[in-house]
């Protein structure tokens, strides 16, 4: 039987990956997998258990004890860590910074890589992250690389955090976005890279709807080439 596509969305933080990944998956009837949330859950667990984040062995052992799940509800998606809802706790600026460091550790990457491959193997998935098209699924049928200027990405993150009632400053949020970009791109293991065969979309001056339509066009063309049913494609 033909399997549905694997769609990879990579790019720096704040480029719109989470929003677009969810919308695209919902239009196509695919499962959405937020791999950043998985790394965030590991970072939160390491923090709560006082684990030295330079200790690869301890991190590797920690990953073995974690059960990370996504719960899809009518009003959104929840991230569960060993059964507990951590959707809010993994999004604080502190956990964001810690995640950058934790996600650079080889033991953590290996563990998440296996989990992500299991979750996506059947197809019919949109995975968003930093290394989906290059490392996790280098043979994904559709790959996007979503970009936007650092100032615009910082502004979006600022609005997002403010809407959640967190007290934040714009300048500081932009600086944090830049610091994370630097850490995610400069690291030795699975750095942020654009796959050669990825479709790059700069969303700085585009609306969410415009980016979504562009993505749908690309996916639907690929679906039609693979003779897949037209579900979600008009
Ligand atoms: O997308 P996000 O902001 O939730 O990602 C959080 C951190 O996790 C970010 O610093 C990059 C890292 N990450 C990664 O290294 N690989 C992924 N596939 C996804 C996220």
């Amino acid at each position: 039987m033909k399997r549905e596509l694997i769609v990879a969305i990579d790019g720096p933080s704040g480029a719109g990956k989470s929003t677009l990944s969810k919308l695209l998956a919902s239009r196509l009837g695919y499962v959405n997998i937020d791999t950043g949330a998985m790394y965030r859950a590991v970072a939160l667990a390491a923090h709560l258990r006082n684990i030295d984040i330079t200790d690869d062995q301890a991190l590797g052992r920690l990953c073995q004890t974690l059960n990370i799940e996504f719960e899809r509800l009518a009003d959104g998606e929840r991230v569960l860590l060993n059964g507990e809802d951590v959707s809010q706790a993994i999004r604080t600026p502190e956990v964001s910074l810690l995640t950058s460091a934790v996600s650079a550790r080889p033991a953590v990457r290996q563990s998440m890589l296996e989990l992500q491959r299991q979750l996506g193997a059947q197809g019919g998935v949109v995975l968003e992250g930093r290394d989906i098209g290059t490392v996790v699924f280098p043979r994904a049928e559709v790959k996007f690389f979503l970009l936007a200027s650092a100032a615009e990405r910082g502004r979006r993150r600022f609005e997002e955090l403010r809407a959640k009632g967190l007290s934040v400053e714009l300048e500081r949020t932009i600086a944090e976005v830049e610091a994370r970009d630097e850490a995610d791109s400069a690291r030795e293991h699975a750095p942020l890279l654009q796959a050669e065969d990825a479709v790059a979309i700069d969303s700085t001056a585009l609306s969410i709807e415009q980016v979504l339509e562009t993505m749908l066009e690309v996916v639907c063309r690929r679906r039609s080439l693979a003779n897949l049913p037209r579900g979600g494609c008009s």
Side-chain angles (χ1 to χ4, degrees):
M1 206 185 81
K2 271 197 202 102
R3 70 152 174 75
E4 281 286 340
L5 309 179
I6 295 176
V7 179
I9 305 182
D10 291 305
S13 55
K17 296 188 305 293
S18 298
T19 307
L20 281 148
S21 179
K22 277 188 204 119
L23 289 171
L24 187 63
S26 138
R27 282 284 285 270
L28 296 166
Y30 281 18
V31 171
N32 172 50
I33 299 170
D34 174 356
T35 64
M38 298 166 78
Y39 286 102
R40 286 171 179 273
V42 176
L44 177 67
H47 172 67
L48 294 175
R49 297 188 200 180
N50 276 320
I51 288 173
D52 172 5
I53 59 162
T54 61
D55 183 344
D56 236 24
Q57 282 194 348
L59 284 172
R61 280 195 303 273
L62 171 72
C63 287
Q64 301 305 316
T65 70
L66 302 181
N67 185 19
I68 302 169
E69 295 167 297
F70 294 99
E71 190 179 48
R72 286 171 184 90
L73 304 166
D75 62 344
E77 197 176 80
R78 269 183 217 153
V79 185
L80 304 180
L81 174 61
N82 293 342
E84 194 187 327
D85 182 359
V86 293
S87 318
Q88 305 285 333
I90 60 171
R91 304 274 165 205
T92 63
E94 292 74 25
V95 172
S96 296
L97 263 183
L98 192 64
T99 308
S100 227
V102 166
S103 66
R105 306 306 307 184
V108 174
R109 294 219 77 85
Q110 187 56 37
S111 189
M112 292 302 110
L113 173 72
E114 285 162 20
L115 189 52
Q116 288 158 19
R117 284 190 176 153
Q118 274 170 27
L119 291 172
Q122 303 303 315
V125 284
V126 181
L127 292 112
E128 55 118 339
R130 303 293 190 288
D131 61 340
I132 309 301
T134 49
V135 176
V136 184
F137 284 109
R139 298 180 68 181
E141 288 87 359
V142 182
K143 300 179 187 177
F144 293 107
F145 196 79
L146 209 50
L147 299 147
S149 71
E152 174 63 14
R153 290 184 287 117
R155 193 194 60 76
R156 290 177 191 170
R157 190 66 97 198
F158 170 76
E159 298 294 349
E160 199 181 302
L161 294 171
R162 215 169 50 154
K164 285 183 187 155
L166 292 165
S167 146
V168 278
E169 286 165 33
L170 179 59
E171 292 305 309
R172 198 162 152 203
T173 312
I174 293 176
E176 279 166 5
V177 163
E178 286 170 342
R180 277 210 291 150
D181 277 3
E182 175 58 27
D184 294 344
S185 306
R187 71 179 177 216
E188 193 182 339
H189 299 280
L192 173 64
L193 273 180
Q194 182 179 333
E196 270 179 23
D197 51 349
V199 176
I201 304 176
D202 184 339
S203 76
T204 309
L206 298 179
S207 67
I208 290 169
E209 291 70 28
Q210 285 171 316
V211 180
L212 179 63
E213 285 313 311
T214 307
M215 289 180 143
L216 272 169
E217 251 173 56
V218 175
V219 176
C220 291
R221 218 179 303 134
R222 190 64 185 76
R223 247 176 149 180
S224 143
L225 274 176
N227 283 324
L228 288 165
R230 300 194 60 79
C233 297
S234 50

